[in-house]
Amino acid sequence: MEVFLETERLLLRRFTEADVDHLVRLDGDPEVMRFLTGEPTPRVEIEEKVLPGFLREYELGPVGHWAAIERSTGEFLGWFALEPSADGGAEEVELGYRLKASVWGRGYATEGARALVRKGFDGAEPMAVNLASRRVMEKAGLRYVRTFHAHFDDPLPGTEHGEVEYELRGPAPTAP
């Protein structure tokens, strides 16, 4: 197991081929996917696109997706990411995370986001209506920049309110 970083309660490690079932269960939860695609990610897409994409990201250096593991139990909780830009470069990255609904509200999102911000980060763009993610961005030390409206061929409910951009300004926050 190749650990990327550790926090008080989390281990963030590289994904492996053995994580397919974890990702299928995570992306199969309608509550988890509500602000993302609104529907489960098919297993074949995870096997042929999602997981291979995660594994390729590690070649870019400090960017990528990492499996979030609860340190005391070894339970897979989801993932955190410093996502590379659309061109695959690592000069500008975006914070991302996806956690099992059963662990929401326990501070894991904030804990993992703070750790990644300290590791190196530029900005984030949750949906404007996703207030929980916006609170996580603010707790992680990010500041609201703007609201913008992107075009989606098949928009999710709430898309009409736009996406919000957050960025790191000043020194990265310190641990609480």
PDB file of all heavy atoms in Angstrom, residues 67-103:
ATOM      1  N   ALA A  67      -7.442   6.859  -2.518  1.00  0.00           N
ATOM      2  CA  ALA A  67      -8.448   6.161  -1.724  1.00  0.00           C
ATOM      3  C   ALA A  67      -8.358   6.656  -0.287  1.00  0.00           C
ATOM      4  O   ALA A  67      -7.266   6.745   0.279  1.00  0.00           O
ATOM      5  CB  ALA A  67      -8.202   4.650  -1.783  1.00  0.00           C
ATOM      6  N   ALA A  68      -9.504   6.989   0.290  1.00  0.00           N
ATOM      7  CA  ALA A  68      -9.567   7.451   1.681  1.00  0.00           C
ATOM      8  C   ALA A  68      -9.926   6.261   2.562  1.00  0.00           C
ATOM      9  O   ALA A  68     -10.983   5.648   2.401  1.00  0.00           O
ATOM     10  CB  ALA A  68     -10.617   8.552   1.831  1.00  0.00           C
ATOM     11  N   ILE A  69      -9.034   5.947   3.485  1.00  0.00           N
ATOM     12  CA  ILE A  69      -9.191   4.804   4.371  1.00  0.00           C
ATOM     13  C   ILE A  69      -9.251   5.296   5.815  1.00  0.00           C
ATOM     14  O   ILE A  69      -8.416   6.109   6.231  1.00  0.00           O
ATOM     15  CB  ILE A  69      -7.993   3.830   4.219  1.00  0.00           C
ATOM     16  CG1 ILE A  69      -7.768   3.452   2.750  1.00  0.00           C
ATOM     17  CG2 ILE A  69      -8.156   2.610   5.120  1.00  0.00           C
ATOM     18  CD1 ILE A  69      -8.918   2.766   2.065  1.00  0.00           C
ATOM     19  N   GLU A  70     -10.229   4.823   6.576  1.00  0.00           N
ATOM     20  CA  GLU A  70     -10.317   5.184   7.993  1.00  0.00           C
ATOM     21  C   GLU A  70      -9.191   4.434   8.703  1.00  0.00           C
ATOM     22  O   GLU A  70      -9.085   3.210   8.612  1.00  0.00           O
ATOM     23  CB  GLU A  70     -11.685   4.777   8.533  1.00  0.00           C
ATOM     24  CG  GLU A  70     -12.196   5.653   9.660  1.00  0.00           C
ATOM     25  CD  GLU A  70     -11.467   5.453  10.978  1.00  0.00           C
ATOM     26  OE1 GLU A  70     -11.012   4.334  11.251  1.00  0.00           O
ATOM     27  OE2 GLU A  70     -11.352   6.429  11.742  1.00  0.00           O
ATOM     28  N   ARG A  71      -8.321   5.184   9.367  1.00  0.00           N
ATOM     29  CA  ARG A  71      -7.116   4.588   9.957  1.00  0.00           C
ATOM     30  C   ARG A  71      -7.414   3.520  10.998  1.00  0.00           C
ATOM     31  O   ARG A  71      -6.752   2.483  11.035  1.00  0.00           O
ATOM     32  CB  ARG A  71      -6.237   5.675  10.582  1.00  0.00           C
ATOM     33  CG  ARG A  71      -5.522   6.516   9.545  1.00  0.00           C
ATOM     34  CD  ARG A  71      -4.690   7.585  10.166  1.00  0.00           C
ATOM     35  NE  ARG A  71      -3.596   6.971  10.930  1.00  0.00           N
ATOM     36  CZ  ARG A  71      -2.575   7.623  11.405  1.00  0.00           C
ATOM     37  NH1 ARG A  71      -2.483   8.921  11.229  1.00  0.00           N
ATOM     38  NH2 ARG A  71      -1.631   7.009  12.072  1.00  0.00           N
ATOM     39  N   SER A  72      -8.382   3.756  11.859  1.00  0.00           N
ATOM     40  CA  SER A  72      -8.598   2.816  12.963  1.00  0.00           C
ATOM     41  C   SER A  72      -9.279   1.518  12.533  1.00  0.00           C
ATOM     42  O   SER A  72      -9.114   0.495  13.183  1.00  0.00           O
ATOM     43  CB  SER A  72      -9.396   3.481  14.084  1.00  0.00           C
ATOM     44  OG  SER A  72     -10.710   3.767  13.652  1.00  0.00           O
ATOM     45  N   THR A  73     -10.050   1.549  11.427  1.00  0.00           N
ATOM     46  CA  THR A  73     -10.789   0.359  11.013  1.00  0.00           C
ATOM     47  C   THR A  73     -10.326  -0.237   9.688  1.00  0.00           C
ATOM     48  O   THR A  73     -10.649  -1.378   9.383  1.00  0.00           O
ATOM     49  CB  THR A  73     -12.291   0.678  10.870  1.00  0.00           C
ATOM     50  OG1 THR A  73     -12.456   1.613   9.793  1.00  0.00           O
ATOM     51  CG2 THR A  73     -12.867   1.223  12.161  1.00  0.00           C
ATOM     52  N   GLY A  74      -9.626   0.562   8.874  1.00  0.00           N
ATOM     53  CA  GLY A  74      -9.242   0.111   7.545  1.00  0.00           C
ATOM     54  C   GLY A  74     -10.372   0.198   6.529  1.00  0.00           C
ATOM     55  O   GLY A  74     -10.241  -0.264   5.402  1.00  0.00           O
ATOM     56  N   GLU A  75     -11.495   0.806   6.919  1.00  0.00           N
ATOM     57  CA  GLU A  75     -12.663   0.910   6.041  1.00  0.00           C
ATOM     58  C   GLU A  75     -12.417   1.905   4.910  1.00  0.00           C
ATOM     59  O   GLU A  75     -11.914   3.007   5.132  1.00  0.00           O
ATOM     60  CB  GLU A  75     -13.880   1.356   6.861  1.00  0.00           C
ATOM     61  CG  GLU A  75     -15.134   1.548   6.044  1.00  0.00           C
ATOM     62  CD  GLU A  75     -16.291   2.122   6.857  1.00  0.00           C
ATOM     63  OE1 GLU A  75     -16.134   2.376   8.065  1.00  0.00           O
ATOM     64  OE2 GLU A  75     -17.362   2.322   6.255  1.00  0.00           O
ATOM     65  N   PHE A  76     -12.821   1.522   3.688  1.00  0.00           N
ATOM     66  CA  PHE A  76     -12.787   2.422   2.540  1.00  0.00           C
ATOM     67  C   PHE A  76     -13.913   3.436   2.710  1.00  0.00           C
ATOM     68  O   PHE A  76     -15.078   3.056   2.851  1.00  0.00           O
ATOM     69  CB  PHE A  76     -12.978   1.635   1.235  1.00  0.00           C
ATOM     70  CG  PHE A  76     -13.060   2.505   0.012  1.00  0.00           C
ATOM     71  CD1 PHE A  76     -11.906   2.928  -0.629  1.00  0.00           C
ATOM     72  CD2 PHE A  76     -14.290   2.886  -0.512  1.00  0.00           C
ATOM     73  CE1 PHE A  76     -11.980   3.717  -1.763  1.00  0.00           C
ATOM     74  CE2 PHE A  76     -14.378   3.675  -1.640  1.00  0.00           C
ATOM     75  CZ  PHE A  76     -13.210   4.100  -2.274  1.00  0.00           C
ATOM     76  N   LEU A  77     -13.587   4.734   2.721  1.00  0.00           N
ATOM     77  CA  LEU A  77     -14.584   5.780   2.921  1.00  0.00           C
ATOM     78  C   LEU A  77     -14.936   6.512   1.637  1.00  0.00           C
ATOM     79  O   LEU A  77     -15.976   7.157   1.563  1.00  0.00           O
ATOM     80  CB  LEU A  77     -14.078   6.805   3.942  1.00  0.00           C
ATOM     81  CG  LEU A  77     -13.718   6.280   5.329  1.00  0.00           C
ATOM     82  CD1 LEU A  77     -13.256   7.423   6.222  1.00  0.00           C
ATOM     83  CD2 LEU A  77     -14.883   5.532   5.949  1.00  0.00           C
ATOM     84  N   GLY A  78     -14.042   6.458   0.643  1.00  0.00           N
ATOM     85  CA  GLY A  78     -14.256   7.204  -0.590  1.00  0.00           C
ATOM     86  C   GLY A  78     -12.916   7.627  -1.151  1.00  0.00           C
ATOM     87  O   GLY A  78     -11.931   6.900  -1.036  1.00  0.00           O
ATOM     88  N   TRP A  79     -12.876   8.820  -1.717  1.00  0.00           N
ATOM     89  CA  TRP A  79     -11.612   9.321  -2.249  1.00  0.00           C
ATOM     90  C   TRP A  79     -11.502  10.838  -2.128  1.00  0.00           C
ATOM     91  O   TRP A  79     -12.497  11.531  -1.980  1.00  0.00           O
ATOM     92  CB  TRP A  79     -11.380   8.879  -3.694  1.00  0.00           C
ATOM     93  CG  TRP A  79     -12.437   9.206  -4.720  1.00  0.00           C
ATOM     94  CD1 TRP A  79     -13.353   8.339  -5.249  1.00  0.00           C
ATOM     95  CD2 TRP A  79     -12.682  10.459  -5.376  1.00  0.00           C
ATOM     96  NE1 TRP A  79     -14.134   8.973  -6.172  1.00  0.00           N
ATOM     97  CE2 TRP A  79     -13.738  10.277  -6.288  1.00  0.00           C
ATOM     98  CE3 TRP A  79     -12.098  11.725  -5.290  1.00  0.00           C
ATOM     99  CZ2 TRP A  79     -14.241  11.302  -7.092  1.00  0.00           C
ATOM    100  CZ3 TRP A  79     -12.594  12.757  -6.097  1.00  0.00           C
ATOM    101  CH2 TRP A  79     -13.651  12.533  -6.981  1.00  0.00           C
ATOM    102  N   PHE A  80     -10.257  11.287  -2.197  1.00  0.00           N
ATOM    103  CA  PHE A  80      -9.911  12.704  -2.269  1.00  0.00           C
ATOM    104  C   PHE A  80      -9.015  12.862  -3.487  1.00  0.00           C
ATOM    105  O   PHE A  80      -8.334  11.918  -3.891  1.00  0.00           O
ATOM    106  CB  PHE A  80      -9.152  13.169  -1.018  1.00  0.00           C
ATOM    107  CG  PHE A  80     -10.030  13.279   0.190  1.00  0.00           C
ATOM    108  CD1 PHE A  80     -10.248  12.185   1.005  1.00  0.00           C
ATOM    109  CD2 PHE A  80     -10.644  14.481   0.506  1.00  0.00           C
ATOM    110  CE1 PHE A  80     -11.059  12.275   2.119  1.00  0.00           C
ATOM    111  CE2 PHE A  80     -11.463  14.583   1.622  1.00  0.00           C
ATOM    112  CZ  PHE A  80     -11.668  13.479   2.426  1.00  0.00           C
ATOM    113  N   ALA A  81      -9.009  14.070  -4.059  1.00  0.00           N
ATOM    114  CA  ALA A  81      -8.200  14.257  -5.262  1.00  0.00           C
ATOM    115  C   ALA A  81      -7.678  15.674  -5.382  1.00  0.00           C
ATOM    116  O   ALA A  81      -8.321  16.633  -4.958  1.00  0.00           O
ATOM    117  CB  ALA A  81      -9.020  13.927  -6.502  1.00  0.00           C
ATOM    118  N   LEU A  82      -6.519  15.767  -5.954  1.00  0.00           N
ATOM    119  CA  LEU A  82      -6.028  16.989  -6.570  1.00  0.00           C
ATOM    120  C   LEU A  82      -6.086  16.658  -8.051  1.00  0.00           C
ATOM    121  O   LEU A  82      -5.236  15.937  -8.574  1.00  0.00           O
ATOM    122  CB  LEU A  82      -4.595  17.309  -6.121  1.00  0.00           C
ATOM    123  CG  LEU A  82      -4.441  17.699  -4.665  1.00  0.00           C
ATOM    124  CD1 LEU A  82      -2.971  17.874  -4.307  1.00  0.00           C
ATOM    125  CD2 LEU A  82      -5.202  18.988  -4.373  1.00  0.00           C
ATOM    126  N   GLU A  83      -7.155  17.123  -8.702  1.00  0.00           N
ATOM    127  CA  GLU A  83      -7.419  16.726 -10.077  1.00  0.00           C
ATOM    128  C   GLU A  83      -6.647  17.607 -11.047  1.00  0.00           C
ATOM    129  O   GLU A  83      -6.668  18.829 -10.938  1.00  0.00           O
ATOM    130  CB  GLU A  83      -8.910  16.809 -10.373  1.00  0.00           C
ATOM    131  CG  GLU A  83      -9.717  15.845  -9.522  1.00  0.00           C
ATOM    132  CD  GLU A  83     -11.216  15.947  -9.720  1.00  0.00           C
ATOM    133  OE1 GLU A  83     -11.686  16.929 -10.326  1.00  0.00           O
ATOM    134  OE2 GLU A  83     -11.918  15.040  -9.254  1.00  0.00           O
ATOM    135  N   PRO A  84      -5.984  16.975 -12.015  1.00  0.00           N
ATOM    136  CA  PRO A  84      -5.232  17.748 -13.006  1.00  0.00           C
ATOM    137  C   PRO A  84      -6.171  18.531 -13.902  1.00  0.00           C
ATOM    138  O   PRO A  84      -7.352  18.214 -14.018  1.00  0.00           O
ATOM    139  CB  PRO A  84      -4.469  16.682 -13.792  1.00  0.00           C
ATOM    140  CG  PRO A  84      -5.229  15.421 -13.580  1.00  0.00           C
ATOM    141  CD  PRO A  84      -5.909  15.545 -12.237  1.00  0.00           C
ATOM    142  N   SER A  85      -5.644  19.560 -14.535  1.00  0.00           N
ATOM    143  CA  SER A  85      -6.444  20.363 -15.450  1.00  0.00           C
ATOM    144  C   SER A  85      -6.838  19.532 -16.666  1.00  0.00           C
ATOM    145  O   SER A  85      -6.320  18.434 -16.884  1.00  0.00           O
ATOM    146  CB  SER A  85      -5.665  21.612 -15.882  1.00  0.00           C
ATOM    147  OG  SER A  85      -4.481  21.230 -16.549  1.00  0.00           O
ATOM    148  N   ALA A  86      -7.731  20.062 -17.475  1.00  0.00           N
ATOM    149  CA  ALA A  86      -8.244  19.338 -18.638  1.00  0.00           C
ATOM    150  C   ALA A  86      -7.131  18.902 -19.590  1.00  0.00           C
ATOM    151  O   ALA A  86      -7.242  17.868 -20.248  1.00  0.00           O
ATOM    152  CB  ALA A  86      -9.259  20.197 -19.377  1.00  0.00           C
ATOM    153  N   ASP A  87      -6.051  19.668 -19.664  1.00  0.00           N
ATOM    154  CA  ASP A  87      -4.946  19.297 -20.560  1.00  0.00           C
ATOM    155  C   ASP A  87      -4.003  18.281 -19.921  1.00  0.00           C
ATOM    156  O   ASP A  87      -3.005  17.889 -20.516  1.00  0.00           O
ATOM    157  CB  ASP A  87      -4.170  20.528 -21.015  1.00  0.00           C
ATOM    158  CG  ASP A  87      -3.423  21.227 -19.881  1.00  0.00           C
ATOM    159  OD1 ASP A  87      -3.444  20.747 -18.732  1.00  0.00           O
ATOM    160  OD2 ASP A  87      -2.808  22.272 -20.159  1.00  0.00           O
ATOM    161  N   GLY A  88      -4.312  17.863 -18.693  1.00  0.00           N
ATOM    162  CA  GLY A  88      -3.505  16.848 -18.021  1.00  0.00           C
ATOM    163  C   GLY A  88      -2.327  17.415 -17.267  1.00  0.00           C
ATOM    164  O   GLY A  88      -1.602  16.676 -16.616  1.00  0.00           O
ATOM    165  N   GLY A  89      -2.148  18.718 -17.308  1.00  0.00           N
ATOM    166  CA  GLY A  89      -1.024  19.333 -16.607  1.00  0.00           C
ATOM    167  C   GLY A  89      -1.255  19.417 -15.115  1.00  0.00           C
ATOM    168  O   GLY A  89      -2.382  19.335 -14.634  1.00  0.00           O
ATOM    169  N   ALA A  90      -0.165  19.568 -14.380  1.00  0.00           N
ATOM    170  CA  ALA A  90      -0.257  19.623 -12.920  1.00  0.00           C
ATOM    171  C   ALA A  90      -0.015  21.032 -12.394  1.00  0.00           C
ATOM    172  O   ALA A  90       0.069  21.233 -11.199  1.00  0.00           O
ATOM    173  CB  ALA A  90       0.751  18.655 -12.307  1.00  0.00           C
ATOM    174  N   GLU A  91       0.080  22.026 -13.284  1.00  0.00           N
ATOM    175  CA  GLU A  91       0.336  23.398 -12.828  1.00  0.00           C
ATOM    176  C   GLU A  91      -0.866  23.995 -12.122  1.00  0.00           C
ATOM    177  O   GLU A  91      -0.738  24.807 -11.227  1.00  0.00           O
ATOM    178  CB  GLU A  91       0.702  24.310 -14.015  1.00  0.00           C
ATOM    179  CG  GLU A  91       1.961  23.921 -14.728  1.00  0.00           C
ATOM    180  CD  GLU A  91       1.740  22.757 -15.700  1.00  0.00           C
ATOM    181  OE1 GLU A  91       0.650  22.672 -16.305  1.00  0.00           O
ATOM    182  OE2 GLU A  91       2.646  21.931 -15.813  1.00  0.00           O
ATOM    183  N   GLU A  92      -2.071  23.592 -12.553  1.00  0.00           N
ATOM    184  CA  GLU A  92      -3.306  24.071 -11.937  1.00  0.00           C
ATOM    185  C   GLU A  92      -4.150  22.846 -11.632  1.00  0.00           C
ATOM    186  O   GLU A  92      -4.450  22.056 -12.519  1.00  0.00           O
ATOM    187  CB  GLU A  92      -4.041  24.999 -12.893  1.00  0.00           C
ATOM    188  CG  GLU A  92      -5.241  25.650 -12.280  1.00  0.00           C
ATOM    189  CD  GLU A  92      -5.847  26.696 -13.194  1.00  0.00           C
ATOM    190  OE1 GLU A  92      -5.095  27.508 -13.743  1.00  0.00           O
ATOM    191  OE2 GLU A  92      -7.073  26.674 -13.338  1.00  0.00           O
ATOM    192  N   VAL A  93      -4.502  22.665 -10.382  1.00  0.00           N
ATOM    193  CA  VAL A  93      -5.273  21.493  -9.979  1.00  0.00           C
ATOM    194  C   VAL A  93      -6.532  21.915  -9.241  1.00  0.00           C
ATOM    195  O   VAL A  93      -6.639  23.054  -8.782  1.00  0.00           O
ATOM    196  CB  VAL A  93      -4.443  20.543  -9.082  1.00  0.00           C
ATOM    197  CG1 VAL A  93      -3.264  19.968  -9.842  1.00  0.00           C
ATOM    198  CG2 VAL A  93      -3.978  21.229  -7.824  1.00  0.00           C
ATOM    199  N   GLU A  94      -7.451  20.986  -9.139  1.00  0.00           N
ATOM    200  CA  GLU A  94      -8.720  21.245  -8.469  1.00  0.00           C
ATOM    201  C   GLU A  94      -8.924  20.218  -7.366  1.00  0.00           C
ATOM    202  O   GLU A  94      -8.697  19.030  -7.563  1.00  0.00           O
ATOM    203  CB  GLU A  94      -9.834  21.144  -9.509  1.00  0.00           C
ATOM    204  CG  GLU A  94     -11.171  21.611  -9.010  1.00  0.00           C
ATOM    205  CD  GLU A  94     -12.173  21.695 -10.150  1.00  0.00           C
ATOM    206  OE1 GLU A  94     -11.905  22.398 -11.134  1.00  0.00           O
ATOM    207  OE2 GLU A  94     -13.228  21.041 -10.028  1.00  0.00           O
ATOM    208  N   LEU A  95      -9.368  20.679  -6.214  1.00  0.00           N
ATOM    209  CA  LEU A  95      -9.678  19.791  -5.098  1.00  0.00           C
ATOM    210  C   LEU A  95     -10.985  19.076  -5.374  1.00  0.00           C
ATOM    211  O   LEU A  95     -11.955  19.689  -5.796  1.00  0.00           O
ATOM    212  CB  LEU A  95      -9.800  20.604  -3.807  1.00  0.00           C
ATOM    213  CG  LEU A  95     -10.280  19.855  -2.573  1.00  0.00           C
ATOM    214  CD1 LEU A  95      -9.226  18.858  -2.122  1.00  0.00           C
ATOM    215  CD2 LEU A  95     -10.596  20.829  -1.453  1.00  0.00           C
ATOM    216  N   GLY A  96     -11.001  17.780  -5.130  1.00  0.00           N
ATOM    217  CA  GLY A  96     -12.222  17.004  -5.271  1.00  0.00           C
ATOM    218  C   GLY A  96     -12.281  15.936  -4.201  1.00  0.00           C
ATOM    219  O   GLY A  96     -11.250  15.537  -3.656  1.00  0.00           O
ATOM    220  N   TYR A  97     -13.470  15.476  -3.891  1.00  0.00           N
ATOM    221  CA  TYR A  97     -13.625  14.375  -2.948  1.00  0.00           C
ATOM    222  C   TYR A  97     -14.994  13.754  -3.143  1.00  0.00           C
ATOM    223  O   TYR A  97     -15.923  14.392  -3.637  1.00  0.00           O
ATOM    224  CB  TYR A  97     -13.436  14.817  -1.495  1.00  0.00           C
ATOM    225  CG  TYR A  97     -14.406  15.881  -1.058  1.00  0.00           C
ATOM    226  CD1 TYR A  97     -15.616  15.542  -0.481  1.00  0.00           C
ATOM    227  CD2 TYR A  97     -14.106  17.233  -1.226  1.00  0.00           C
ATOM    228  CE1 TYR A  97     -16.512  16.521  -0.089  1.00  0.00           C
ATOM    229  CE2 TYR A  97     -14.994  18.209  -0.842  1.00  0.00           C
ATOM    230  CZ  TYR A  97     -16.196  17.852  -0.277  1.00  0.00           C
ATOM    231  OH  TYR A  97     -17.089  18.819   0.095  1.00  0.00           O
ATOM    232  N   ARG A  98     -15.086  12.489  -2.789  1.00  0.00           N
ATOM    233  CA  ARG A  98     -16.348  11.752  -2.831  1.00  0.00           C
ATOM    234  C   ARG A  98     -16.300  10.754  -1.686  1.00  0.00           C
ATOM    235  O   ARG A  98     -15.410   9.908  -1.645  1.00  0.00           O
ATOM    236  CB  ARG A  98     -16.491  11.037  -4.164  1.00  0.00           C
ATOM    237  CG  ARG A  98     -17.839  10.403  -4.388  1.00  0.00           C
ATOM    238  CD  ARG A  98     -17.974   9.879  -5.794  1.00  0.00           C
ATOM    239  NE  ARG A  98     -17.799  10.959  -6.758  1.00  0.00           N
ATOM    240  CZ  ARG A  98     -17.706  10.782  -8.075  1.00  0.00           C
ATOM    241  NH1 ARG A  98     -17.787   9.563  -8.583  1.00  0.00           N
ATOM    242  NH2 ARG A  98     -17.537  11.811  -8.877  1.00  0.00           N
ATOM    243  N   LEU A  99     -17.220  10.888  -0.756  1.00  0.00           N
ATOM    244  CA  LEU A  99     -17.258  10.014   0.415  1.00  0.00           C
ATOM    245  C   LEU A  99     -18.588   9.292   0.507  1.00  0.00           C
ATOM    246  O   LEU A  99     -19.620   9.809   0.059  1.00  0.00           O
ATOM    247  CB  LEU A  99     -17.039  10.836   1.690  1.00  0.00           C
ATOM    248  CG  LEU A  99     -15.708  11.566   1.806  1.00  0.00           C
ATOM    249  CD1 LEU A  99     -15.698  12.454   3.035  1.00  0.00           C
ATOM    250  CD2 LEU A  99     -14.555  10.579   1.843  1.00  0.00           C
ATOM    251  N   LYS A 100     -18.565   8.115   1.126  1.00  0.00           N
ATOM    252  CA  LYS A 100     -19.785   7.357   1.358  1.00  0.00           C
ATOM    253  C   LYS A 100     -20.755   8.204   2.186  1.00  0.00           C
ATOM    254  O   LYS A 100     -20.348   8.874   3.139  1.00  0.00           O
ATOM    255  CB  LYS A 100     -19.483   6.062   2.111  1.00  0.00           C
ATOM    256  CG  LYS A 100     -18.610   5.115   1.346  1.00  0.00           C
ATOM    257  CD  LYS A 100     -18.232   3.830   2.028  1.00  0.00           C
ATOM    258  CE  LYS A 100     -18.623   3.593   3.429  1.00  0.00           C
ATOM    259  NZ  LYS A 100     -18.182   2.297   3.965  1.00  0.00           N
ATOM    260  N   ALA A 101     -22.025   8.163   1.839  1.00  0.00           N
ATOM    261  CA  ALA A 101     -23.039   8.937   2.571  1.00  0.00           C
ATOM    262  C   ALA A 101     -23.080   8.567   4.043  1.00  0.00           C
ATOM    263  O   ALA A 101     -23.367   9.413   4.893  1.00  0.00           O
ATOM    264  CB  ALA A 101     -24.409   8.759   1.924  1.00  0.00           C
ATOM    265  N   SER A 102     -22.762   7.329   4.364  1.00  0.00           N
ATOM    266  CA  SER A 102     -22.818   6.881   5.759  1.00  0.00           C
ATOM    267  C   SER A 102     -21.792   7.574   6.654  1.00  0.00           C
ATOM    268  O   SER A 102     -21.918   7.526   7.881  1.00  0.00           O
ATOM    269  CB  SER A 102     -22.623   5.366   5.843  1.00  0.00           C
ATOM    270  OG  SER A 102     -21.348   4.993   5.343  1.00  0.00           O
ATOM    271  N   VAL A 103     -20.793   8.243   6.085  1.00  0.00           N
ATOM    272  CA  VAL A 103     -19.794   8.936   6.903  1.00  0.00           C
ATOM    273  C   VAL A 103     -19.887  10.460   6.781  1.00  0.00           C
ATOM    274  O   VAL A 103     -19.060  11.175   7.342  1.00  0.00           O
ATOM    275  CB  VAL A 103     -18.344   8.449   6.608  1.00  0.00           C
ATOM    276  CG1 VAL A 103     -18.226   6.959   6.886  1.00  0.00           C
ATOM    277  CG2 VAL A 103     -17.901   8.803   5.203  1.00  0.00           C
TER     278      VAL A 103
END
